[in-house]
Amino acid sequence: MRRLFFLLFLLLASPAFATGLLDNRPSATLGAASLANNADFLPVHEAFKLSLVQADAQTVKLRFVATEGYYLYRHRFQFRTEPADIALGTPNIPKGEAKHDEFFGDVEVYHGVLDIELPRTDPRAFTLLVGYQGCADKGLCYPPETARLSIDGEGGANAPATAEHGWNWKSLLLFFLAGVGLTFTPCVLPMLPILSGVVLRGQVGGLRGLSLSLAYVLPMAASFAALGALMGLFGAGLNLQARLQSAWVLVPFALFFVLFALAMFGLFELKLPQALSNRLNNVANHTRGGSLLGAAVLGVLSSLLVSPCVSAPLAGALLYISASGDALGGALKLFALGLGMGAPLLLVATGGAAWLPKSGPWMNTVKNAIGVLLLGLAIGLLSRVLPGPVTLLLVGFLAAGVALFLGALEFVVKTARQRLAQLLGLALLVYALACWYGALSGQGDPLRPLPVATLAAAGSSQAAQADAWQTITTPSALDAALAQAKAAGQPVLLDWYADWCISCKVIEHEVLNASQVQTQLAGFKLLRFDLTESNAEQRKLLDRYQLFGPPALLFFAANGSEITADRVIGEINAGDFAQILTRVRGKVGL
């Protein structure tokens, strides 16, 4: 069982998860389920929020905030002025996250907060035109946008930046579960009966036991919350979230997580200075439980006198919160962590101690697994500044280490449980080898470590398929093509495409050209609307079809009406799209 715990935590410790935790964003996967409507995506001005932070005689400072799950392209930023004779200096744009795409090559992108400074030499008032473009991690790409900002003349007031809060119910639940997990470590769970005896003093069960346990847990959680709020304010003051684009900040943060992991592995202990610890212990020893006030005091003290098994993960949580720069979110997350840590005591106080697991060697596995998670977080941070192949190499080392712990190469007589653990370890070892091979081949995605098969082998098939598609660039041409298909009684598959849309390239080459899809395209009139120019006429057409941008795949029945239930918006894999095609063919009678 202990080895199964480790496998679970390895999955959580993958850089995809780690980056998602630190950035509050999901990773894009080619195999994502189909998206039926725009409810899965935000309008462009909600996905990317632009504000004027500062405008003085020397500098214009802009702030972009990309909502969770969305990112901006560095090479798509443009800055113009009206009147045009007002010149601005070279924009100061921080280095972005390296992103490699097999179709577009190496690009830089930005998640979260991005601050851009524009040097200013002309004191006159003007209008700043800011061009930008971004995509969703789930696969939707927005057309290029241009925002207009009025910049006052010399002496104009600064515009306040809008506050952004980076918490949601999902993150609170994760912190609560993390708190519960910390109680199942060898420094905490064995002490629970002693703690319950001190706090409850034999008053187990009933309303009194519940009141005393709450009097202990809530102040403890509130103390954690206060600490989280302070760290959030500290991070906001230093603007750490924006600075996390820099290697000078990312590398030390990652090293801290490595140190915290080593502490969980037992190489050393993180604890308060001895003098302060002794004073707090004296106060705790002179505080009697059994009363609401005494339980509350013990709860506050326990938040300061954390055990070695808790100190390293708590330090990591504080580091994460400081990076978010969100005081409210930090307070709520650490409050949830405290509630999770106090949940077992509430269970004991209400007479449910029998539901708790017995102490045993498995608790060391939980402790070590948290260390693996912290190493995964460190790799996730470093992935922003390291080349993709180097990151993939580190992921391989992490997977190989866990595989060896699971006994992947220990070919001796084992129990059934040990053999299962060894089998899982062998699978991880194969994954590690795939990561190393992919790294040597120039790959950088832990979710797709092996090189994608070249498309040249399917060149003749793709050429034949390309001839079957009718490319359209104007609304009038689209209306005419749809009318022609309706007159002929032919169903239509309409592909919304643009050259600047990475996901469109994926769908064109890897989905629409897949064998299980090609065999089902027969009978459809294949139309492709090209939005590359993204002019006003094309944007109105997007609004008409209630689309935010490409890619999108729409089906029309032989009578010309759209089959809205089978819309596909964003990326989808070939297998899922083949299933949709099968369903649509049944609806249109093919």
Side-chain angles (χ1 to χ4, degrees):
M1 182 60 69
R2 66 187 181 93
R3 294 176 173 176
L4 295 179
F5 264 117
F6 243 95
L7 177 64
L8 174 63
F9 272 83
L10 172 70
L11 297 177
L12 294 179
S14 68
F17 173 83
T19 307
L21 179 61
L22 290 168
D23 292 339
N24 290 325
R25 70 178 190 271
S27 297
T29 58
L30 184 61
S34 62
L35 304 170
N37 54 62
N38 277 340
D40 296 283
F41 299 97
L42 295 173
V44 62
H45 297 297
E46 294 182 23
F48 310 106
K49 298 178 181 179
L50 171 63
S51 60
L52 178 63
V53 178
Q54 177 181 341
D56 55 30
Q58 290 80 34
T59 306
V60 175
K61 184 176 181 180
L62 308 176
R63 173 166 295 170
F64 280 97
V65 179
T67 304
E68 174 184 345
Y70 297 81
Y71 60 88
L72 290 161
Y73 286 106
R74 179 190 180 98
H75 67 282
R76 302 298 290 184
F77 286 122
Q78 294 181 348
F79 305 96
R80 295 181 290 116
T81 60
E82 291 181 354
D85 62 335
I86 295 181
L88 296 174
T90 302
N92 182 13
I93 307 177
K95 183 176 177 58
E97 305 168 35
K99 181 179 177 68
H100 178 77
D101 179 78
E102 59 186 290
F103 302 108
F104 290 167
D106 295 322
V107 295
E108 289 184 32
V109 300
Y110 300 92
H111 290 87
V113 179
L114 169 64
D115 287 340
I116 299 176
E117 293 185 357
L118 303 173
R120 178 184 182 184
T121 57
D122 196 315
R124 291 178 293 167
F126 65 96
T127 298
L128 177 63
L129 282 70
V130 182
Y132 62 95
Q133 186 179 15
C135 295
D137 284 331
K138 291 182 179 179
L140 180 76
C141 285
Y142 294 86
E145 287 288 329
T146 300
R148 302 173 66 91
L149 298 174
S150 296
I151 308 299
D152 294 338
E154 187 173 357
N158 295 342
T162 56
E164 299 293 330
H165 298 295
W167 67 272
N168 51 47
W169 292 110
K170 178 182 176 182
S171 63
L172 296 185
L173 177 61
L174 285 175
F175 270 82
F176 177 81
L177 294 176
V180 174
L182 288 176
T183 62
F184 297 135
T185 54
C187 309
V188 180
L189 188 61
M191 301 300 295
L192 191 57
I194 300 175
L195 176 64
S196 63
V198 172
V199 174
L200 304 177
R201 298 188 69 83
Q203 303 178 67
V204 178
L207 183 60
R208 181 62 178 174
L210 178 62
S211 301
L212 287 172
S213 59
L214 285 175
Y216 174 88
V217 171
L218 291 179
M220 177 186 69
S223 299
F224 282 143
L227 194 58
L230 289 175
M231 292 303 294
L233 290 173
F234 170 76
L238 294 180
N239 197 16
L240 284 179
Q241 190 172 24
R243 296 177 188 272
L244 277 176
Q245 308 289 345
S246 168
W248 295 103
V249 178
L250 283 171
V251 173
F253 266 53
L255 291 178
F256 276 124
F257 278 110
V258 172
L259 288 176
F260 299 153
L262 295 179
M264 295 306 291
F265 295 146
L267 272 69
F268 59 89
E269 291 185 356
L270 290 177
K271 55 185 179 181
L272 291 173
Q274 191 66 35
L276 179 58
S277 178
N278 289 338
R279 290 187 179 183
L280 292 174
N281 277 319
N282 288 334
V283 175
N285 292 333
H286 288 85
T287 302
R288 290 178 57 84
S291 66
L292 296 179
L293 178 60
V297 173
L298 289 173
V300 173
L301 291 175
S302 69
S303 66
L304 301 175
L305 293 169
V306 293
S307 66
C309 297
V310 176
S311 56
L314 180 61
L318 292 175
L319 197 63
Y320 155 64
I321 289 170
S322 69
S324 71
D326 180 14
L328 176 61
L332 291 175
K333 289 169 183 175
L334 279 200
F335 187 78
L337 182 77
L339 290 180
M341 293 177 62
L345 179 62
L346 293 174
L347 193 62
V348 171
T350 53
W355 291 93
L356 293 175
K358 302 295 183 182
S359 300
W362 62 269
M363 295 184 299
N364 288 319
T365 301
V366 175
K367 180 183 175 183
N368 292 333
I370 295 174
V372 175
L373 173 60
L374 292 172
L375 287 179
L377 291 171
I379 296 176
L381 278 175
L382 291 175
S383 66
R384 302 187 190 180
V385 293
L386 292 178
V390 177
T391 300
L392 197 57
L393 202 64
L394 294 177
V395 174
F397 281 122
L398 182 62
V402 178
L404 293 177
F405 178 83
L406 290 172
L409 301 180
E410 297 175 3
F411 298 101
V412 295
V413 178
K414 296 185 176 184
T415 64
R417 182 179 299 177
Q418 290 173 332
R419 287 197 298 270
L420 176 60
Q422 183 179 26
L423 183 62
L424 295 175
L426 288 172
L428 280 175
L429 193 58
V430 170
Y431 173 73
L433 293 173
C435 288
W436 294 334
Y437 177 79
L440 295 176
S441 303
Q443 298 298 110
D445 186 356
L447 299 178
R448 301 173 64 189
L450 294 176
V452 179
T454 179
L455 299 174
S460 58
S461 173
Q462 291 186 17
Q465 285 296 317
D467 293 338
W469 289 86
Q470 178 184 350
T471 301
I472 297 170
T473 59
T474 64
S476 58
L478 176 61
D479 292 338
L482 290 175
Q484 183 181 10
K486 179 180 178 181
Q490 185 179 17
V492 174
L493 170 57
L494 175 59
D495 174 27
W496 297 81
Y497 169 91
D499 286 343
W500 37 257
C501 169
I502 293 179
S503 298
C504 298
K505 298 284 187 180
V506 173
I507 288 179
E508 178 187 10
H509 291 282
E510 299 183 11
V511 177
L512 296 178
N513 281 297
S515 57
Q516 66 264 46
V517 172
Q518 290 182 14
T519 56
Q520 299 195 70
L521 293 179
F524 286 97
K525 184 178 182 65
L526 304 178
L527 301 179
R528 176 169 288 137
F529 194 91
D530 190 343
L531 288 159
T532 301
E533 188 177 348
S534 189
N535 55 39
E537 194 178 28
Q538 292 175 341
R539 288 170 179 268
K540 288 182 180 179
L541 188 65
L542 284 175
D543 293 337
R544 186 173 121 195
Y545 282 93
Q546 298 182 333
L547 297 172
F548 293 140
L553 296 163
L554 276 57
F555 294 96
F556 295 83
N559 61 5
S561 61
E562 183 190 349
I563 307 174
T564 55
D566 293 300
R567 273 191 172 200
V568 176
I569 299 176
E571 278 192 29
I572 186 172
N573 61 34
D576 289 342
F577 188 59
Q579 293 179 8
I580 294 177
L581 272 173
T582 301
R583 184 168 65 245
V584 173
R585 289 179 68 87
K587 292 180 179 180
V588 300
L590 291 178

